[in-house]
């Protein structure tokens, strides 16, 4: 992502975010696709075009969150316990609403989780389309990294707080 595409600095009441017009223009369509999938089970256009037989929406959503256990039974149990949280469209709706506003945005600390969750969902969805990490997946990770770095600089730098 370009250097000035998504810039985050810590402020007293949250995080101040400046997003370029290019960032917003590229985020809105992928947010719409994510919401279509999570709410209505509509597969993204790219997924439908790329394969002669696209997976079901349920299978695609499950692929977005790879199993965290070697045991199929444990992985299924984890999925059942956390499925509603992992596939909740509300954080993405709040991010989409914020992206429709002019920047800069002051994100309250309670709003930052919405961004981290949504961009994790987008990254997971995008990685199911491709067999390798792409520019888009890297950009989604970059948003998460910028947010975490602004919240806790030591998490990214290892430097003591000053």
């Amino acid at each position: 992502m370009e250097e000035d595409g998504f810039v985050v600095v810590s402020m007293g009441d949250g995080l101040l975010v400046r997003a370029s017009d290019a960032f917003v223009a590229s985020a809105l369509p992928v947010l719409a696709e994510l919401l279509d999938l999570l709410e209505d089970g509509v597969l993204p256009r790219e997924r439908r075009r790329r394969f002669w037989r696209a997976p079901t929406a349920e299978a695609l959503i499950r692929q977005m969150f790879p199993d965290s256990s070697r045991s199929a039974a444990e992985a299924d149990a984890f999925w059942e316990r956390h499925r509603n949280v992992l596939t909740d469209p509300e954080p993405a709706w709040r991010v989409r609403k914020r992206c429709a506003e002019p920047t800069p945005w002051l994100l309250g600390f309670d709003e930052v989780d919405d961004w981290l969750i949504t961009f994790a969902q987008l990254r997971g969805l995008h990685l199911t389309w491709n067999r390798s990490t792409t520019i888009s997946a890297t950009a989604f990770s970059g948003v998460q990294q910028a947010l975490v770095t602004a919240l806790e600089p030591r998490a990214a730098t290892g430097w003591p707080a000053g």
Side-chain angles (χ1 to χ4, degrees):
M1 186 177 281
E2 67 192 56
E3 185 174 291
D4 63 345
F6 191 85
V7 179
V8 185
V9 294
S10 183
M11 299 296 288
D13 293 335
L15 301 179
L16 185 66
V17 175
R18 184 178 59 79
S20 69
D21 292 341
F23 171 86
V24 173
S26 65
L28 288 173
V30 293
L31 285 167
E33 286 183 341
L34 176 64
L35 287 164
D36 285 345
L37 175 65
L38 295 176
E39 290 187 324
D40 302 320
V42 176
L43 294 175
R45 281 176 291 139
E46 183 172 330
R47 188 64 170 178
R48 287 180 300 209
R49 271 196 325 249
R50 189 170 268 195
F51 299 97
W52 68 271
R53 183 173 178 221
T56 65
E58 179 69 23
L60 180 59
I61 289 171
R62 180 74 189 252
Q63 288 173 17
M64 289 169 55
F65 305 100
D67 292 341
S68 59
S69 174
R70 292 181 190 189
S71 160
E74 286 178 16
D76 288 343
F78 178 88
W79 178 248
E80 289 305 314
R81 284 192 311 274
H82 300 286
R83 182 184 196 287
N84 290 339
V85 172
L86 294 172
T87 61
D88 182 7
E90 290 305 313
W93 270 115
R94 290 187 289 268
V95 169
R96 186 175 183 207
K97 180 179 178 192
R98 180 63 84 160
C99 284
E101 300 171 2
T103 66
W105 306 308
L106 180 60
L107 305 182
F109 292 120
D110 57 333
E111 192 177 353
V112 174
D113 276 348
D114 288 344
W115 287 75
L116 292 171
I117 290 165
T118 299
F119 279 87
Q121 290 171 326
L122 287 171
R123 185 176 185 279
L125 178 60
H126 191 80
L127 288 175
T128 64
W129 295 341
N130 302 289
R131 300 225 185 268
S132 63
T133 302
T134 62
I135 292 171
S136 296
T138 302
F140 299 147
S141 295
V143 169
Q144 293 174 298
Q145 181 179 355
L147 293 165
V148 170
T149 301
L151 284 171
E152 185 56 60
R154 290 179 300 180
T157 65
W159 298 340

